[in-house]
Amino acid sequence: MRCDLHTHSFHSDGILAPAEVVAHALEGGVELLALTDHDVTDGLDEARAAAEAAGIRFLPGVEISTTWEGMTIHIVGLGIDPASTILQAGLKRLRDIRHERAAEIDRRLAKHRIPGTLAGAAALARGAIVSRTHFARYLLSQGYVTGIGQAFRRYLGRGCPGHTPTVWVPIEEAIGWIRAASGVAVLAHPARYKLSSGKRRKLLAEFKAGGGHAIEVVSGAHSPDEARRFAQFAQEFGLEASLGSDYHGPFESGGSWTRPGCLAPLPPECTPVWHRWAA
Ligand code: AMP
Ligand code: MN
Ligand code: MN
Ligand code: MN
């Protein structure tokens, strides 16, 4: 079954409407799709309706921002019930943190003689959550940078003038919200975190002990070599494997974002996380 279990719409930092994400997934031959916006579930109803109309199976999802040992780690929840009050209360807390962080990024960039970035980013977000991606797009639109990646390297990433250290929630707490909403917790794009091999093992062990179920083995953010390595980690830690493009839209540059569904298959030794929904 061709899956894509990690995608974004404009309800977080994607470019497209949920129904447009579904249309692109259909073109990519996707048979099972999850929409996994950052810290919000507002796009799920539209995506589900569009997927049903297109004959694609749909899994409601979310990508939750967490902090582990001072580092931001993303946890994807798949098959969640968006009506869960525990999940929604948790996501609301994260959006409040985002709100404060956005104001602080604005202050820091203003001190660096780049004024008005929050207003600019918020206008691009059109009422949805304001992410660093929106700040990056604004900096690009004003000619401060020549690409999204450069905005992160020069202004928003660690050590840059706009970088704002943020404490999200502990991983176990996010896993708890996902489980309270009857979902399955997946460690997103694990090769993207800059960790020593000892720390990587510690993260995987704590994720598993905290109730985590699977890791993304094949990701738009992983090289084929990274996929092979994380297939081995999945085996070693008794975790299932997920697969997702981390699609943010067709025109976004700077990341390694692909089209929905255009991904290599999971290595054969993996147990696909979607076996529970594929029947
Ligand atoms: P936030 O959750 O607001 O901190 O924003 C994080 C988002 O920024 C990620 O989900 C990516 O979509 C995007 N992002 C992070 N780093 C980069 C980068 N180096 N180049 C392009 N996009 C990035
Ligand atoms: Mn994103
Ligand atoms: Mn992510
Ligand atoms: Mn993502």
Side-chain angles (χ1 to χ4, degrees):
M1 176 176 257
R2 188 181 281 244
C3 297
D4 195 331
L5 304 184
H6 188 152
T7 65
H8 295 276
S9 76
F10 62 36
H11 288 282
S12 64
D13 62 349
I15 295 180
L16 303 176
E20 294 174 310
V21 175
V22 171
H24 285 240
L26 186 65
E27 280 172 32
V30 173
E31 297 161 283
L32 178 67
L33 174 72
L35 182 70
T36 56
D37 274 313
H38 297 281
D39 307 325
V40 75
T41 60
D42 291 351
L44 296 180
D45 286 346
E46 180 183 322
R48 178 192 288 286
E52 270 170 19
I56 297 178
R57 301 183 70 156
F58 182 69
L59 277 181
V62 66
E63 182 174 14
I64 302 181
S65 309
T66 77
T67 297
W68 180 79
E69 304 211 345
M71 174 174 266
T72 295
I73 301 287
H74 286 170
I75 307 293
V76 164
L78 294 178
I80 50 159
D81 173 7
S84 159
T85 51
I86 291 176
L87 174 67
Q88 290 301 344
L91 297 181
K92 169 71 166 63
R93 264 174 60 204
L94 291 174
R95 294 195 298 272
D96 290 344
I97 295 172
R98 278 188 175 277
H99 204 74
E100 283 169 32
R101 181 185 68 155
E104 181 60 23
I105 293 173
D106 178 80
R107 282 191 288 274
R108 290 181 187 217
L109 289 175
K111 256 190 223 158
H112 198 72
R113 284 191 286 266
I114 304 182
T117 56
L118 176 55
L124 292 174
R126 292 185 290 174
I129 64 159
V130 177
S131 76
R132 287 188 300 161
T133 312
H134 297 108
F135 281 92
R137 289 184 190 140
Y138 179 70
L139 291 169
L140 176 61
S141 75
Q142 298 303 300
Y144 289 106
V145 290
T146 56
I148 296 291
Q150 195 181 64
F152 279 89
R153 283 193 301 277
R154 289 205 183 155
Y155 293 109
L156 301 167
R158 206 177 272 271
C160 298
H163 183 251
T164 301
T166 307
V167 181
W168 305 103
V169 297
I171 289 180
E172 317 79 74
E173 206 173 332
I175 294 173
W177 304 342
I178 291 166
R179 293 175 64 128
S182 313
V184 165
V186 181
L187 180 64
H189 40 63
R192 289 281 57 77
Y193 311 119
K194 292 190 181 73
L195 294 165
S196 66
S197 69
K199 275 244 184 159
R200 183 168 301 114
R201 288 204 137 72
K202 190 166 182 239
L203 171 62
L204 290 166
E206 289 185 18
F207 172 72
K208 166 93 180 176
H213 239 94
I215 60 175
E216 284 179 356
V217 167
V218 171
S219 163
H222 285 178
S223 68
D225 193 51
E226 288 167 336
R228 280 189 289 275
R229 281 179 46 224
F230 280 89
Q232 286 172 4
F233 282 124
Q235 296 268 89
E236 183 183 332
F237 286 86
L239 291 158
E240 294 175 353
S242 190
L243 171 151
S245 59
D246 206 358
Y247 185 66
H248 284 69
F251 310 115
E252 194 76 39
S253 60
S256 49
W257 299 328
T258 56
R259 287 163 56 86
C262 291
L263 294 162
L266 282 183
E269 67 269 30
C270 293
T271 304
V273 69
W274 59 87
H275 69 84
R276 54 177 59 65
W277 300 295

